[in-house]
Amino acid sequence: ALMDLKAKEHAEQVALIKWKRLHVSEYAGLECLYSVPNAESDMKKLAYKKAEGLLAGVSDLCLPIARGKYHGLYIEMKKRDGGNKGSEKQVAWGRAMHHYGNKHVFAWGFDEARQAIRDYYSLGEFGDDKICREQYSITTTHQSTEGQRIPF
């Protein structure tokens, strides 16, 4: 049953990443959305990853782009039917992310995760992007719709 649950969550997350790849030109920084490989069932690999800093409860996806009052967006994916709830450690991680100025959401399926990203972008800009671009001399291989150049 656990493997079936993980397979369904995996399929929902894969669908979200496919959507991301199709819509990066619509949302500045969306290409920076990445997954956090925080699940491991092999005990030998688990010990190895814990030594590298693996933390239980860390969200499945991170969008390190500041919007509105938030520094970034963390998404914990769940299977679409809502039968699985966040673990105690996932809830604690979400609280910590909010405490440190990030937005954290549980998303039951692709549609909720996509909507969370759309809602996050609707919060508007955070700070002065021009200063950030000049300070870090960002160059690009493609351009977003907001005219912000991205190095991906």
Side-chain angles (χ1 to χ4, degrees), residues 6 16-18 31 57 62-63 85 87 113 120 130 146:
K6 288 293 178 195
L16 184 68
I17 296 303
K18 286 180 180 178
E31 66 277 8
C62 176
L63 180 60
K85 298 187 188 313
S87 71
Y120 186 68
K130 183 178 182 218
E146 293 183 18

Side-chain angles (χ1 to χ4, degrees), residues 60-114:
D60 295 313
L61 295 159
C62 176
L63 180 60
I65 303 301
R67 301 295 295 179
K69 66 180 184 178
Y70 301 106
H71 301 293
L73 172 66
Y74 288 83
I75 302 172
E76 178 59 41
M77 293 294 297
K78 297 296 176 190
K79 69 178 186 149
R80 186 181 300 252
D81 68 16
N84 56 335
K85 298 187 188 313
S87 71
E88 205 173 290
K89 289 184 178 185
Q90 289 169 339
V91 170
W93 178 262
R95 285 188 187 126
M97 291 303 94
H98 280 291
H99 176 78
Y100 291 112
N102 297 285
K103 182 155 182 73
H104 179 274
V105 298
F106 284 89
W108 281 267
F110 161 75
D111 292 325
E112 284 191 20
R114 178 183 59 192

Side-chain angles (χ1 to χ4, degrees), residues 1-149:
L2 181 60
M3 290 305 288
D4 184 45
L5 173 67
K6 288 293 178 195
K8 288 179 181 178
E9 285 182 17
H10 171 78
E12 298 286 350
Q13 188 166 322
V14 167
L16 184 68
I17 296 303
K18 286 180 180 178
W19 173 83
K20 166 200 126 164
R21 290 177 180 144
L22 292 171
H23 295 273
V24 292
S25 66
E26 297 171 40
Y27 301 94
L30 184 60
E31 66 277 8
C32 296
L33 177 69
Y34 66 91
S35 70
V36 179
N38 58 353
E40 184 59 65
S41 57
D42 181 306
M43 294 311 284
K44 193 178 266 190
K45 289 180 183 176
L46 180 63
Y48 181 82
K49 288 187 175 185
K50 279 187 175 182
E52 290 183 334
L54 176 77
L55 294 173
V58 174
S59 301
D60 295 313
L61 295 159
C62 176
L63 180 60
I65 303 301
R67 301 295 295 179
K69 66 180 184 178
Y70 301 106
H71 301 293
L73 172 66
Y74 288 83
I75 302 172
E76 178 59 41
M77 293 294 297
K78 297 296 176 190
K79 69 178 186 149
R80 186 181 300 252
D81 68 16
N84 56 335
K85 298 187 188 313
S87 71
E88 205 173 290
K89 289 184 178 185
Q90 289 169 339
V91 170
W93 178 262
R95 285 188 187 126
M97 291 303 94
H98 280 291
H99 176 78
Y100 291 112
N102 297 285
K103 182 155 182 73
H104 179 274
V105 298
F106 284 89
W108 281 267
F110 161 75
D111 292 325
E112 284 191 20
R114 178 183 59 192
Q115 191 59 48
I117 291 170
R118 287 175 171 163
D119 291 348
Y120 186 68
Y121 272 93
S122 75
L123 296 174
E125 296 294 325
F126 180 99
D128 185 349
D129 286 342
K130 183 178 182 218
I131 292 171
C132 180
R133 285 195 306 277
E134 289 172 359
Q135 182 178 356
Y136 295 105
S137 302
I138 296 174
T139 59
T140 95
T141 57
H142 83 274
Q143 190 165 350
S144 74
T145 56
E146 293 183 18
Q148 187 174 4
R149 296 192 165 260

